[in-house]
Amino acid sequence: MPVNFQELSAARNQEWRNEMRNRLSAKERSNLPRVKMPEMEPRDRILGFKEVNVGLNEDAAVLESQRCLDCSTPSCISGCPVNIDIPGFIKLIEKKDFLAAARKLKETNALPAVCGRVCPQEIQCEAQCIYHKMKKAPVAIGYLERFASDCERLAGNISIPPIQTGKQIKVAAIGSGPASLTFAGEMAKSGYRVTVFEALHELAGVLSYGIPEFRLPKTIVRSEIAYLEKLGVVFEKNVIVGKTLTIEDMKKQGFQGFFIGSGAGLPKFMHIPGENAIGVYSSNEYLTRVNLMKAYQFPHYDTPIMLGKRVAVIGGGNTAMDSVRVAVRLGAEKAMIVYRRSEQEMPARIEEIHHAKEEGVEFLNLTNPVEYITDTAGRVKQMKVQKMGLGAADDSGRKRPVVIPGSEYTIDVDTVVVGVGTDPNPLIPRTIQGLEVTKWGTIVVNEETMQTALPEIFAGGDIVRGGATVILAMGDGKKAAESLHDYLQQKK
Amino acid sequence: MNKIVAKEMLSENVVKLVVEAPQISQKQNPGQFVIIRTDDRGERIPLTIADADKEKMTITLIIQIVGTSSHKIANLNPGDSLLDISGPLGKPTHIEKVGTVIACGGGVGIAPLYPIARAFKEIGNKLITVLGARNRELLILEKEMAVFADEMIVMTDDGSYGEKGLITAGIEKVLLREPVHLAVAIGPAVMMKFVALLTKKYDVATIASLNTIMVDGTGMCGACRVTVGGKTKFVCVDGPEFDAHEIDYDEMLKRLNTYKKEEQVSYDGYLKSLT
């Protein structure tokens, strides 16, 4: 999205901002060391599901905010998929007006407490920070975003941005993950009557079933939802669009615009022998049982999960890291990541890899499973793996893993979690006539507007991208909201 | 929402509930199922829709008490509500006129078979039903099926009602006697396995409806995966019905036992909490 530098520079030229900038010299600011995120000790945190990152205290946050040079052309903003006014909110922290900082975030981001925790800032906003050019560590934008939004929540003083009234036009979001939530927030702010339809019994999609409590506490998610409810967004759970209710039904109910954010919910398997053995899970199932169904509190909760002692998680993404760290917390004596490339190619966030290692996870890189071996009851007891080498770069720009012949060996395991990615959920594309879908099952959209082949239907997030991040999904939701607004205005 | 409007014990451990479900009752077709949750600590349980009333906007669920979740459901009474119902899930049965259809139901599998059998009859097939149960007390929906079935054979393991013997004996009697164009088998996995072996011998096309472990029921988790014709399928979105001759029943039987131990722990705790 293009950044409106004119607006930003007007905000930057306000008197208090000038005053704030002159308090410390750029040299003084740049000499401050980057703050460290306080964390629970590994030996304590693996005993439960408490949040690992504790969050900055006020002093640390203000000190870190002083590091921001308040650049005249802030490059960080273009690194953010929803274009948060980053220096704007950071300077409000420096001014110690934390609630105003939170409000500033909410102007562009409906879910700042979530983003402050799970966004890969190191490849987005923070990657664009001027400090890189000065060979210094970037401003900890993510920590500060989390700090400001946590302050607001803890103060119990959730602000509601101005809402335009009077449109009364009904629009629907399908799915309640980050893309849809952002879409819903933006549309509500523009005065539309928004209903979000969710298939499961719990809202927020991957934020609820996918990301574990120790990385994203569910109270945070619930409070972001409560904020959207205050904006007037209506949530309907247990509605499977295409089954319980079709787009045609919704049109009859008066809905004029639609956003599909149904996600990439279909787990990929590797189709190797023994993969249907007892004890072999998809990461989706493993994480859903734990996060959504609270199986880690079995039998207090009714949904069980196998408490593996020797757990192998296949894959190198964030989902794989989440799964293996769940396994540690469920009491695994040996928790392993089995990844076919090297650590350098891992798509997981560096912080996740680091946390996993601290928690005792073993990394079997350049290793790929070829078969699962079971006992007579059909339970997995061993996995046969082969060693891999790295060849020339492939389409993704990463070095292609190549099999090393004769390198097979077996590892004893009692639980396996397959976390090698997901495919888009075909349920909705399958039930909407006229929607254009790629051979991978993703919905085709105009990348500028997120509009599908059907003009009143927009789409974004993993159902379009196939498997990306929370913040990219949110960027899509935001873009789609703007485009749908334009579309509905023109139609009038 | 989701209020229970009627309850009936069909046998000592099988309960029938009629539940308000305005949207699902309008959309459901024979062969589809719902996922329910009784309370906020409860599991997501797949249950086949045994019947629906579009005017009263209700669906009928028939549940056999086997563990914590089913016992919790059975303990609900008219006026109580299910916390969550979502559906209708799965693909509906492909109903067409083929000639003679033999509908084979074992135990509580007779419940999901009921709307399917009726639909095959209504479209103009000759319908023969073969129902199997361990004993007379456990036989359900016999009268309801008799209303539309052209012929009904009842088999009980102990001979306390109908004929003594396994359901396959009753089916084979028909297959020896006259041409059958389609068989539908719903019941315990072992029963479906042996019905499939039998109909394969007589070269009769057969569909089986599977009831595997599920979590979300929308294709998201893969807990329900089965091997059909050498390929992995998800019961929730690819099924629940498959070509009965292609299903790997042994794998499915093993997977059904995944949480045997945990289910017992949970149920013991639950029963204790009731006393």
Side-chain angles (χ1 to χ4, degrees), chain A residues 361-379:
Chain A
V361 171
E362 283 177 47
F363 282 68
L364 278 66
N365 296 333
L366 293 167
T367 306
N368 203 30
V370 288
E371 185 181 351
Y372 301 107
I373 300 156
T374 63
D375 64 14
T376 49
R379 286 179 192 262

Side-chain angles (χ1 to χ4, degrees), chain A residues 32-33 35-36 38 55-67 93-94 96 98 144 147 151:
Chain A
L32 293 168
V35 70
K36 282 208 164 56
L56 302 183
N57 64 24
E58 206 177 298
D59 291 344
V62 171
L63 201 61
E64 182 64 22
S65 72
Q66 290 171 352
R67 292 185 67 230
I93 293 178
E94 188 175 343
K96 298 197 183 173
F98 307 134
L144 292 175
F147 170 78
C151 276

Side-chain angles (χ1 to χ4, degrees), chain B residues 230-249:
Chain B
K231 288 200 175 112
T232 295
K233 298 279 179 188
F234 287 8
V235 172
C236 65
V237 287
D238 300 320
E241 286 167 10
F242 296 100
D243 179 344
H245 298 147
E246 296 287 331
I247 297 164
D248 183 343
Y249 295 97

Side-chain angles (χ1 to χ4, degrees), chain A residues 145-200:
Chain A
E145 180 181 27
R146 170 185 163 156
F147 170 78
S149 50
D150 282 1
C151 276
E152 188 187 44
R153 191 185 60 260
L154 294 172
N157 192 354
I158 305 284
S159 63
I160 306 294
I163 298 173
Q164 295 174 35
T165 49
K167 283 207 192 61
Q168 298 300 314
I169 297 174
K170 282 168 79 176
V171 298
I174 298 157
S176 68
S180 281
L181 293 180
T182 305
F183 168 86
E186 294 299 320
M187 292 308 277
K189 279 194 281 183
S190 310
Y192 291 88
R193 286 168 62 195
V194 191
T195 306
V196 177
F197 295 94
E198 166 58 47
L200 294 175

Side-chain angles (χ1 to χ4, degrees), chain A residues 80-113:
Chain A
C80 171
V82 297
N83 300 143
I84 292 175
D85 176 3
I86 292 167
F89 95 84
I90 290 182
K91 290 301 119 178
L92 285 165
I93 293 178
E94 188 175 343
K95 199 183 158 200
K96 298 197 183 173
D97 193 347
F98 307 134
L99 296 181
R103 282 196 296 275
K104 175 59 75 184
L105 284 164
K106 288 253 179 81
E107 283 175 12
T108 40
N109 183 352
L111 313 168

Side-chain angles (χ1 to χ4, degrees), chain A residues 460-477:
Chain A
D462 283 357
I463 192 69
V464 167
R465 295 172 177 273
T469 60
V470 167
I471 188 70
L472 288 172
M474 291 176 59
D476 290 352

